[in-house]
Amino acid sequence: MRLIGQLDSKAHAERFLAYLTTQEISAHCEHENDGWEIWVRDEDQIDRAIELYHEFKADPASGKYREAVDKALTIAREQERKAQKVKKNMVQMQSRWNAPITRRAPLTIGLVVVCVIISLLTNFGRDIAGTSFRALALGALTSEQAIELVGSEGLHEYNTRLRLGSLLHGELWRLITPIFLHFGPWHLLFNMYWLVVFGAQIEGRYGAVWMALIVVMTAIPANVSGALAPANLDGVAIANLGGHWVVLLGGFSGVIYGLFGYIWMKMVFDPQSGLFITRTTATVLMVWLLICMMPGFTEMTGINIANWAHGIGLVAGLIIGYTPKLMADLGIGRSRPPQA
């Protein structure tokens, strides 16, 4: 802040300050001795302010200075309106984040509850022949349906049409429902933890509708890629249960990586979103993704990982998160999804 000059009367000082406001120069005046000192806040604007000061001193009665008073009042009112709006939004966000998670992120909690219930109904994925598992799996065909679809010679584990047979019969809900199936308590616990961590952030910021859309937009490519992956590239298995062929794909982790990718992009390209992941979290998830892709991981651990679902889910989340930035750069639409 620097003193640029002094004016004799308060009226002149206020008129000059109004004119500075219309020139987007921040300043204020202070009463000192027999005059009013003019102080400019931004050092980068000092030279311009001094130039305007001398112009004002030469002709303080000029019409442009009288007009500046009304313009400055309009600017001040607009700034006050924006400040009140920001304050209101801050209060709303603070109130939302201080609310219990069941109010802040009801959809996220609802998804957790559904996953837990289905895990219990399917005995944590052990009852693959049961009605609940077959109703939600990506593919579940009777032997007769399978033969009709691919013929007896096509009944082998990595026949693509066999894997997608239920979808080809119009059962499109299966594009999403495998995310509710989990194979073991630890599988469920791991996924539900990250669902709450990421889902509560997104839903708390953008609402349940946007959260649901992200879940759907990441679940579909993650599930389909897992089913289409060839045998020698970590494709998931399809089991012959005698009376049924069932695709053994399940878990929320493809969506989890999608949520992770979405938040990552928003944090980088839209910091005002408030979405955030720590470096430790990013490192843990990326290291786990790479470890699971290591040759021989399944043989060493006995754990079957749907690597394609993880990877494609991550890519889908990255794309969803980056698309608003790309559209804004191209001048298309809005720069962010609607806020709740």
Side-chain angles (χ1 to χ4, degrees):
M1 185 180 296
R2 190 185 302 183
L3 175 66
I4 65 167
Q6 180 173 302
L7 296 172
D8 296 333
S9 70
K10 182 178 180 181
H12 280 185
E14 291 177 344
R15 187 179 300 173
F16 181 57
L17 288 180
Y19 184 71
L20 290 180
T21 297
T22 65
Q23 303 302 304
E24 299 183 349
I25 296 176
S26 178
H28 77 282
C29 63
E30 294 180 2
H31 187 219
E32 189 69 26
N33 298 324
D34 294 330
W36 293 82
E37 295 180 344
I38 307 299
W39 293 80
V40 174
R41 294 187 174 90
D42 189 344
E43 290 289 329
D44 293 334
Q45 296 178 319
I46 296 298
D47 292 340
R48 174 61 175 159
I50 291 174
E51 179 184 344
L52 296 177
Y53 169 75
H54 289 301
E55 290 181 4
F56 180 83
K57 289 274 290 184
D59 186 14
S62 172
K64 67 179 181 180
Y65 300 122
R66 291 194 297 269
E67 293 173 0
V69 174
D70 292 334
K71 292 180 181 178
L73 288 174
T74 300
I75 293 173
R77 283 194 291 266
E78 179 63 18
Q79 290 175 340
E80 176 64 20
R81 186 189 68 79
K82 290 181 179 179
Q84 290 295 329
K85 183 177 180 180
V86 169
K87 182 179 179 180
K88 180 180 178 181
N89 289 339
M90 289 179 63
V91 170
Q92 289 176 341
M93 290 305 298
Q94 183 178 22
S95 175
R96 180 179 299 174
W97 283 108
N98 288 337
I101 192 171
T102 50
R103 287 180 53 196
R104 192 168 75 242
L107 175 62
T108 299
I109 298 303
L111 291 171
V112 171
V113 171
V114 171
C115 288
V116 170
I117 292 173
I118 290 174
S119 293
L120 295 174
L121 291 175
T122 61
N123 193 20
F124 292 97
R126 298 184 185 93
D127 188 15
I128 60 176
T131 302
S132 296
F133 194 100
R134 287 189 286 110
L136 301 175
L138 183 71
L141 296 174
T142 65
S143 297
E144 292 77 10
Q145 288 174 324
I147 293 174
E148 181 182 351
L149 184 67
V150 299
S152 56
E153 69 283 356
L155 295 176
H156 55 83
E157 188 175 352
Y158 290 99
N159 184 305
T160 300
R161 282 179 59 80
L162 185 62
R163 287 161 166 267
L164 301 179
S166 295
L167 300 178
L168 296 175
H169 278 84
E171 299 174 359
L172 299 183
W173 71 84
R174 297 179 184 273
L175 288 168
I176 300 171
T177 52
I179 65 176
F180 301 116
L181 300 170
H182 287 84
F183 301 98
W186 288 112
H187 186 208
L188 175 68
L189 182 62
F190 180 87
N191 283 345
M192 295 304 98
Y193 170 78
W194 291 114
L195 172 57
V196 171
V197 170
F198 297 146
Q201 278 200 66
I202 296 171
E203 186 176 357
R205 177 60 170 157
Y206 294 120
V209 173
W210 185 244
M211 173 64 180
L213 287 173
I214 296 178
V215 170
V216 171
M217 289 188 290
T218 55
I220 292 175
N223 288 335
V224 172
S225 64
L228 292 179
N232 61 339
L233 293 176
D234 290 332
V236 297
I238 180 170
N240 181 2
L241 306 179
H244 289 85
W245 289 80
V246 179
V247 177
L248 302 182
L249 173 69
F252 224 94
S253 49
V255 175
I256 296 299
Y257 273 97
L259 300 178
F260 163 60
Y262 176 78
I263 293 176
W264 189 358
M265 289 294 96
K266 298 300 286 184
M267 186 177 69
V268 173
F269 295 107
D270 185 13
Q272 294 182 351
S273 69
L275 301 182
F276 180 75
I277 49 175
T278 65
R279 183 174 299 178
T280 300
T281 294
T283 300
V284 167
L285 290 177
M286 292 306 297
V287 168
W288 176 247
L289 179 68
L290 296 175
I291 288 176
C292 293
M293 291 180 176
M294 292 174 54
F297 176 83
T298 299
E299 289 74 12
M300 289 187 296
T301 63
I303 303 174
N304 292 305
I305 301 294
N307 289 319
W308 280 89
H310 291 182
I312 298 300
L314 174 61
V315 171
L318 293 173
I319 292 173
I320 297 168
Y322 180 70
T323 296
K325 170 65 166 55
L326 177 62
M327 293 177 65
D329 290 344
L330 296 175
I332 303 172
R334 296 191 296 182
S335 61
R336 64 177 61 192
Q339 296 184 17

